[in-house]
Amino acid sequence: MLNLDMARIFDEIADILELKGENPFRIRAYRRAARTIETLTLDLKVIAERGGVDELRKIPGVGEGIAKKIVEIAQTGDCEKHRELKREVPEGLLELLSIPRVGPKTIAKVYQELGIKSVAELEAAAKAHKLAGLPGLGAKAEENILKGIEQYRSYKGRALLSNALPYAESIVNELKKLDAVERITVAGSLRRMRETIGDIDILVVSKRPKEVMDAFTTLDGVEDVLAKGETKSAVIIRGINADVRVVDAASFGAAAHYFTGSKQHNIRIRELGVKKGLKINEYGVFRGEERIGGENEEDVFASVGLPYIPPELREDRGEIEAAKENRIPQLVEVSDLKGDLHVHTKWSDGKNSVEDMADSAIGLGYEYIAVADHSPAVGIAGGLTEDELAPRREEIVKANERFEAEGTQFRVFDAVEVDIKSDFSLDFPDAILKDFDVVVGAIHTKFTQDRETMTRRIVGAMENPNVDIIAHPTGRLLGKRDPYEVDMEQLMETAKETGTILELNSFPDRLDLNDLHCKMAKEHGVLVAISTDAHDALQMRDVIRYGVATARRGWLEAKDVVNTRGLKDFIKVLKG
Ligand code: DGT
Ligand code: CA
Ligand code: CA
């Protein structure tokens, strides 16, 4: 039982309560618990066993009711409340909740009125215009539902990187404990750190494959064994497909290269091999019958005269040409970062105080953070009112005085995430904006304006000399909301002209800028800020790896990322 499994149970409870139209506060309590649990690094099962309810209640967002359920889940694998709720709703209905643009109220309505309980039934009813007659739904809603279903299908079967990576790491850690395992690596899209993952691919070197496969197919969380053999086994683990292949030591590097992909990259490498009279496949590099390499991945690249290419670049997006010319970038790493330029505190919708966030950042080895709480328009996020600006500023000044007194080289920037409104104005007047150290502009409303209007909103914000950074520039939520229409080329040009930084938001369902946009930014000479948008101190630490992974997929080096600069150099980059 991993923390993530517990989070999944609480999310499902919240889902069902939503379908039943229950009290929003109860629903929010389960969701909050799920989000907290997801990012905990402590093992909840261990805390539950050792400290019980009392110890669990010390975790923020975990009240008595939730704590009791955690103990129950730790002991039995599930809780009665969850089982009881699941009995109340038909199987397919929960799946409908994953469709973007379709809320629980609509689902409850179409179920009660028309008995709809599957995606296919919902689609058929929308196409036959049977929904338009229901109270509160119209032709527009039908159109929206059909679009949502289309979007849902395009993501279906793919997991967010953040959902797959912890499971893959736990599989690798478990299997590593076996004496029978000599070498092990993840491969596939996961090793390339794609934003979504079709399945988890793992490679093992072992002389006793049966032991490895026995262990793999009986791991905690395995829901189904799809295939079990000495060279390949496949399971469904916590809703995600995972395969393990056992290969010979002499083939490990070749197999790692082959199964890491991408397919397009592999094809290019194989063609280079053919030109040199070599056969390159998952077993090794061969000249005629003779194996000339394949134990290590480097062998494969060396056989075609190339230096090692990091997995994140293997998409046939120019990496082979770059390798030929010895231009493979020195990709940015988490340890290069010196600050986080977008975090929230209790002053808006964050969980922690300014000082808590700062202390946590110091623990990460950072030299600065920008606490960028929301502006008033983002009401649901507890946006800052003008009255709150002075006391908040005072708290920030105090924190900075403490660091100075202690001789800690650290600075909290008084920042704001100011809403870029649909009428092109910013949510605070310039007279207020100019007093912030860092201003982060962002769109949170009216995502459906046309491309020209959306572009003008952002360009206008960049042209404001007070705005330093544009947050999550395309507004997408993976699996939930498409990016809004925007002229990215124009954004890049204006960012360059105005010296505006573009954010790469590290939240696993945002990753916005995406990998391709990062590469564009680099080519335009636009600086990228890899920020977390953390709403608590643990998130600040835990989600940054996803942003860095995306930056690496976008070819970014430390010099392309503004928050790799030390405090003094960073200040010089700010406007004004
Ligand atoms: P995914 O799982 O859809 O997120 O993407 P991948 O890239 O992990 O793809 P997957 O799991 O189907 O296969 C793993 C790797 O195996 C893939 O990246 C490249 C390699 N591979 C699979 N099929 C082929 C193929 O037909 N030709 C070549 N050259 N490579 C292949
Ligand atoms: Ca895969
Ligand atoms: Ca696979």
Side-chain angles (χ1 to χ4, degrees):
M1 174 71 46
L2 289 176
N3 291 355
L4 281 168
D5 298 314
M6 299 220 193
R8 252 196 350 170
I9 291 174
F10 289 127
D11 264 328
E12 207 163 279
I13 291 177
D15 285 347
I16 300 172
L17 292 175
E18 260 190 291
L19 280 181
K20 294 180 63 189
E22 298 247 343
N23 180 344
F25 289 100
R26 283 186 61 209
I27 297 169
R28 221 170 296 151
Y30 284 110
R31 294 265 185 239
R32 198 174 334 118
R35 297 291 78 73
T36 304
I37 290 170
E38 258 174 7
T39 54
L40 279 184
T41 45
L42 308 162
D43 187 339
L44 270 186
K45 189 167 186 233
V46 174
I47 304 179
E49 277 160 9
R50 291 202 190 134
V53 171
D54 290 343
E55 205 52 38
L56 290 166
R57 289 199 57 183
K58 292 183 188 158
I59 301 167
V62 175
E64 169 137 29
I66 301 272
K68 282 189 178 151
K69 289 190 183 66
I70 293 174
V71 172
E72 189 185 345
I73 298 168
Q75 283 166 355
T76 68
D78 201 353
C79 67
E80 183 48 35
K81 180 81 187 167
H82 181 226
R83 280 191 297 265
E84 178 192 308
L85 285 169
K86 269 176 54 175
R87 281 194 293 269
E88 288 180 36
V89 295
E91 189 82 16
L93 215 53
L94 287 180
E95 191 188 353
L96 295 182
L97 279 171
S98 321
I99 305 173
R101 305 160 192 254
V102 181
K105 284 210 186 80
T106 304
I107 296 169
K109 202 180 298 171
V110 299
Y111 173 61
Q112 279 151 16
E113 303 285 328
L114 303 171
I116 288 171
K117 51 185 188 307
S118 72
V119 179
E121 285 168 5
L122 183 65
E123 185 179 28
K127 282 191 172 152
H129 303 296
K130 285 189 187 153
L131 305 179
L134 299 179
L137 297 179
K140 184 91 190 152
E142 283 182 337
E143 223 176 273
N144 241 327
I145 288 171
L146 287 173
K147 266 196 200 153
I149 291 175
E150 195 182 311
Q151 237 174 302
Y152 169 67
R153 293 226 168 99
S154 70
Y155 282 110
K156 201 181 161 202
R158 298 192 70 79
L160 287 182
L161 178 61
S162 60
N163 287 335
L165 190 59
Y167 292 153
E169 285 170 344
S170 102
I171 299 173
V172 167
N173 285 336
E174 285 306 308
L175 296 183
K176 255 189 193 161
K177 292 180 190 161
L178 304 176
D179 288 337
V181 170
E182 292 168 32
R183 291 180 83 177
I184 183 165
T185 181
V186 294
S189 51
L190 190 94
R191 183 158 176 245
R192 304 198 313 278
M193 300 291 257
R194 269 191 66 179
E195 59 199 29
T196 63
I197 301 296
D199 70 348
I200 298 172
D201 303 283
I202 293 174
L203 295 176
V204 170
V205 173
S206 176
K207 291 190 195 71
R208 303 190 321 261
K210 189 169 175 305
E211 275 174 49
V212 178
M213 296 310 195
D214 284 346
F216 172 58
T217 52
T218 56
L219 283 173
D220 244 10
V222 168
E223 289 159 7
D224 203 357
V225 177
L226 306 174
K228 189 177 172 199
E230 298 245 319
T231 52
K232 187 183 168 190
S233 297
V235 303
I236 298 179
I237 185 162
R238 302 179 169 98
I240 300 176
N241 285 56
D243 337 313
V244 164
R245 288 183 172 78
V246 173
V247 300
D248 289 338
S251 298
F252 183 72
H257 179 263
Y258 181 89
F259 289 108
T260 295
S262 65
K263 197 168 156 183
Q264 288 74 10
H265 167 93
N266 288 354
I267 291 169
R268 294 286 312 277
I269 296 286
R270 201 165 44 206
E271 284 168 1
L272 291 178
V274 169
K275 281 194 196 141
K276 292 189 184 288
L278 302 174
K279 188 171 85 191
I280 299 174
N281 58 27
E282 62 268 49
Y283 302 105
V285 180
F286 300 89
R287 175 168 281 122
E289 292 298 300
E290 185 200 359
R291 180 202 300 268
I292 61 164
E295 187 173 353
N296 293 301
E297 227 175 15
E298 283 80 359
D299 303 349
V300 176
F301 293 112
S303 75
V304 291
L306 298 181
Y308 181 80
I309 301 176
E312 295 93 330
L313 296 183
R314 301 183 199 166
E315 298 288 348
D316 192 20
R317 290 180 183 162
E319 75 279 8
I320 294 179
E321 291 71 15
K324 278 183 188 161
E325 295 163 21
N326 248 315
R327 289 191 285 110
I328 288 294
Q330 186 68 42
L331 300 177
V332 62
E333 293 178 17
V334 172
S335 59
D336 292 326
L337 298 182
K338 302 269 169 34
D340 192 328
L341 295 169
H342 186 171
V343 306
H344 293 267
T345 70
K346 280 184 184 162
W347 287 102
S348 60
D349 54 347
K351 274 195 223 158
N352 293 105
S353 67
V354 169
E355 270 203 301
D356 289 343
M357 293 305 275
D359 284 334
S360 170
I362 291 168
L364 296 174
Y366 289 168
E367 295 176 19
Y368 50 90
I369 51 171
V371 291
D373 286 306
H374 288 286
S375 63
V378 191
I380 46 161
L384 285 170
T385 60
E386 283 191 30
D387 293 344
E388 288 171 322
L389 293 179
R392 181 175 171 277
R393 189 155 289 160
E394 207 172 300
E395 192 177 320
I396 292 170
V397 168
K398 255 206 222 132
N400 284 329
E401 280 169 1
R402 196 196 100 197
F403 301 133
E404 200 160 327
E406 288 169 354
T408 309
Q409 147 94 315
F410 188 85
R411 166 96 178 261
V412 179
F413 289 115
D414 179 3
V416 64
E417 180 177 8
V418 67
D419 194 46
I420 305 170
K421 297 204 280 191
S422 57
D423 64 0
F424 308 109
S425 70
L426 297 176
D427 196 23
F428 275 128
D430 286 335
I432 289 184
L433 289 180
K434 71 172 181 21
D435 290 336
F436 286 103
D437 299 324
V438 177
V439 173
V440 182
I443 286 185
H444 296 100
T445 51
K446 288 266 178 158
F447 298 103
T448 51
Q449 287 179 315
D450 64 32
R451 180 176 159 103
E452 205 188 317
T453 312
M454 292 308 280
T455 306
R456 239 180 90 201
R457 278 169 84 178
I458 301 175
V459 164
M462 292 198 277
E463 284 169 347
N464 184 316
N466 296 308
V467 175
D468 302 291
I469 302 174
I470 299 293
H472 39 73
T474 77
R476 73 160 174 185
L477 290 176
L478 278 164
K480 294 189 208 111
R481 186 169 75 209
D482 282 339
Y484 41 70
E485 301 277 336
V486 70
D487 182 344
M488 190 51 77
E489 194 69 33
Q490 181 65 55
L491 295 196
M492 294 288 167
E493 280 167 23
T494 309
K496 178 68 187 166
E497 279 162 26
T498 56
T500 310
I501 298 159
L502 296 183
E503 176 181 279
L504 158 46
N505 187 298
S506 303
F507 247 71
D509 62 352
R510 285 197 183 268
L511 299 176
D512 177 8
L513 302 175
N514 69 19
D515 49 3
L516 288 168
H517 297 144
C518 286
K519 196 156 184 246
M520 252 174 112
K522 183 185 175 108
E523 285 157 11
H524 280 81
V526 169
L527 284 170
V528 172
I530 309 178
S531 304
T532 59
D533 202 352
H535 286 64
D536 66 55
L538 291 171
Q539 275 176 350
M540 183 164 48
R541 179 195 58 199
D542 291 340
V543 307
I544 191 67
R545 66 188 302 200
Y546 302 108
V548 170
T550 301
R552 290 170 63 87
R553 288 180 54 80
W555 292 57
L556 298 192
E557 301 180 90
K559 68 173 169 50
D560 306 314
V561 176
V562 73
N563 50 318
T564 60
R565 301 183 187 202
L567 181 57
K568 287 208 185 80
D569 289 332
F570 169 68
I571 291 171
K572 283 187 215 145
V573 178
L574 292 171
K575 289 187 194 170

